[in-house]
Amino acid sequence: MPLHKGIFDKKPMKIVLSRQIPCKDTVFLKNHSYKRNMTKFTTRFSQKILAMAGKSPWGGGSDDSDGPGNGGSDGGPRNPWQPTDPTSGQPAGGRKGPNIEELFKKGRGKGGGGSGGFTGLPKRSNGKSWVPLILLGALVAWIAFTSIHRIALEERGVVTQLGAYNRTVDSGIQLTLPAPLESMTKVNVQEIRTLQIGSTESSKENLVLTSDQNIIDMAYEVRWNIADPERFLFQIEAPEDTIREVAESAMRAAVANFELISAIGPGRSDIEAQVRTRMQELLDQYNSGITVQGIAIRQSDPPQEVNEAFREVNAAQQRRESYLNNARAYAQQILERAAGDTAAFDKVYEQYRLAPEVTRRRMYYDTMENVLGKVDKTIVEPGGVQTYLPLPEVQRRSRANAAAQPQASEGGQ
């Protein structure tokens, strides 16, 4: 058998290679002690490890400040934990840098190794820790804040249990299971919310098509509130976006039934009523839990490019309506006057039937008074002609001459 040099001893030893097992396996000789060899190997290995540690930058655990671990005179690596003098590169002040083993020992002494723990917390008089009481107080506060809820008069509380809808509670002080078992969402059901659609600015147009193939720029607002909190929270994902889309759809459908002149003028109220009705029908189909309170059109004008021309047309139409109204008022006055004259004639006719001669003479006198009351008169008496001095005519001419004199003097100047 071949002789090989042993690993653990300088003396040769015999190693038997077995052919019945894989060649990588080695069978040691029987009745041969390896204890002494293992002891020598362990001793040499420990010495090698210590020698390597003495040359490492962490230090070899020696107290010699000039040793290899501290960057002494032997030229070993410098201890990275020890400060150095920037001029000479030597340890500053001759201080010895901290040893890593000492750092670990201090850490174990301060931290929680062994029987350590929360050593910085104060103790009670009986020597027990405050930690259980602190934890118990935090638990009680958590249960109180997540289980007791105050709901205002205009609010409703929607309770979910593990994320699923459970119930809806009214206003007042309500109790639930602590979070995360149950959670509550407060919903204001009396607040009237307003959603603005379109803008009155010329740079932001919201164009809608009318029945006569014209385009108008519309801006309006939708007033709504929450009627069913459960459906509002769980039926639709984005309530305001849904209301906006429904309002735009209903407005376009309503304006398509009106001509341009009606849409920008007298037909606004009818459009608002139709939009509100159509929106409520669509939102009820979606089970949204929303009630539409009203629609208010803030702007209904033609596009900016032709807005001036349409304003002139609208002004002309308004003037036409004004003239028509004045004509209707005048016609109404004539009709009422004619009705009054008819009633007066009927009364005179009744008197004429009773006394025809007296009534004719009275009517003659009244007529002559109305005709001759405002003209100059010359009275001719029977039996001759007597000169009549027309005093009213003289007074009228004197007043006319007095008014004409100041005007003539101003023209001469």
Side-chain angles (χ1 to χ4, degrees), residues 95-405:
R95 294 180 57 189
K96 176 184 176 182
N99 194 298
I100 192 171
E101 295 181 359
E102 296 177 358
L103 294 177
F104 281 118
K105 290 179 181 179
K106 293 179 180 179
R108 286 194 298 269
K110 291 181 180 181
S115 62
F118 300 96
T119 57
L121 293 177
K123 301 290 185 178
R124 288 188 289 174
S125 58
N126 56 3
K128 296 184 180 180
S129 176
W130 287 96
V131 175
L133 294 180
I134 295 175
L135 295 178
L136 180 60
L139 180 61
V140 172
W142 173 258
I143 294 176
F145 280 111
T146 59
S147 300
I148 303 174
H149 307 274
R150 178 184 177 275
I151 303 177
L153 184 63
E154 68 276 5
E155 294 178 339
R156 297 295 181 270
V158 179
V159 181
T160 57
Q161 192 175 75
L162 298 177
Y165 172 77
N166 184 267
R167 64 188 181 277
T168 301
V169 296
D170 294 331
S171 59
I173 303 299
Q174 302 293 341
L175 301 177
T176 61
L177 296 177
L181 298 178
E182 286 187 351
S183 61
M184 176 179 291
T185 303
K186 299 178 182 179
V187 180
N188 193 329
V189 297
Q190 296 183 6
E191 178 185 3
I192 303 298
R193 296 170 170 84
T194 302
L195 179 63
Q196 303 288 342
I197 301 177
S199 176
T200 56
E201 300 179 3
S202 59
S203 59
K204 300 179 181 179
E205 294 183 341
N206 182 28
L207 302 180
V208 183
L209 187 65
T210 61
S211 61
D212 53 354
Q213 305 301 316
N214 286 308
I215 296 176
I216 58 176
D217 182 16
M218 300 195 68
Y220 51 96
E221 63 183 16
V222 181
R223 299 187 301 274
W224 59 279
N225 70 319
I226 302 173
D228 191 336
E230 175 190 353
R231 293 183 177 181
F232 177 78
L233 293 177
F234 299 103
Q235 189 65 29
I236 52 180
E237 182 178 1
E240 290 195 359
D241 295 341
T242 302
I243 295 173
R244 183 181 301 275
E245 294 176 0
V246 170
E248 291 182 354
S249 176
M251 180 62 71
R252 295 181 185 279
V255 174
N257 300 324
F258 292 83
E259 296 182 354
L260 174 64
I261 304 302
S262 178
I264 65 177
R268 285 190 176 187
S269 58
D270 295 336
I271 294 175
E272 293 173 352
Q274 291 186 15
V275 171
R276 180 184 179 281
T277 303
R278 192 182 298 270
M279 282 189 62
Q280 192 63 57
E281 292 176 355
L282 291 175
L283 292 174
D284 291 342
Q285 292 178 6
Y286 296 159
N287 294 325
S288 61
I290 295 173
T291 300
V292 180
Q293 297 295 335
I295 308 294
I297 297 178
R298 297 185 292 118
Q299 174 181 295
S300 180
D301 296 330
Q304 187 66 23
E305 294 79 2
V306 295
N307 193 15
E308 292 298 330
F310 273 93
R311 286 181 179 176
E312 294 178 359
V313 173
N314 191 20
Q317 292 176 350
Q318 291 179 358
R319 289 195 297 270
R320 183 193 67 177
E321 293 293 332
S322 178
Y323 295 153
L324 290 176
N325 293 333
N326 293 335
R328 294 189 185 98
Y330 179 73
Q332 187 68 24
Q333 291 177 1
I334 296 299
L335 292 175
E336 291 178 357
R337 184 181 299 175
D341 294 341
T342 303
F345 181 80
D346 292 338
K347 292 181 180 180
V348 172
Y349 178 72
E350 292 294 333
Q351 298 297 327
Y352 180 79
R353 291 178 57 187
L354 296 176
E357 186 64 26
V358 176
T359 304
R360 278 199 302 266
R361 188 176 296 275
R362 184 62 184 173
M363 292 177 64
Y364 173 77
Y365 291 155
D366 291 340
T367 303
M368 294 303 291
E369 182 180 0
N370 292 332
V371 172
L372 301 176
K374 299 179 181 180
V375 300
D376 298 333
K377 297 175 287 295
T378 300
I379 301 174
V380 179
E381 294 182 356
V385 177
Q386 184 179 0
T387 305
Y388 171 73
L389 182 61
L391 295 178
E393 181 66 19
V394 173
Q395 294 176 357
R396 183 176 62 80
R397 290 179 181 180
S398 63
R399 287 194 298 268
N401 293 332
Q405 288 178 0

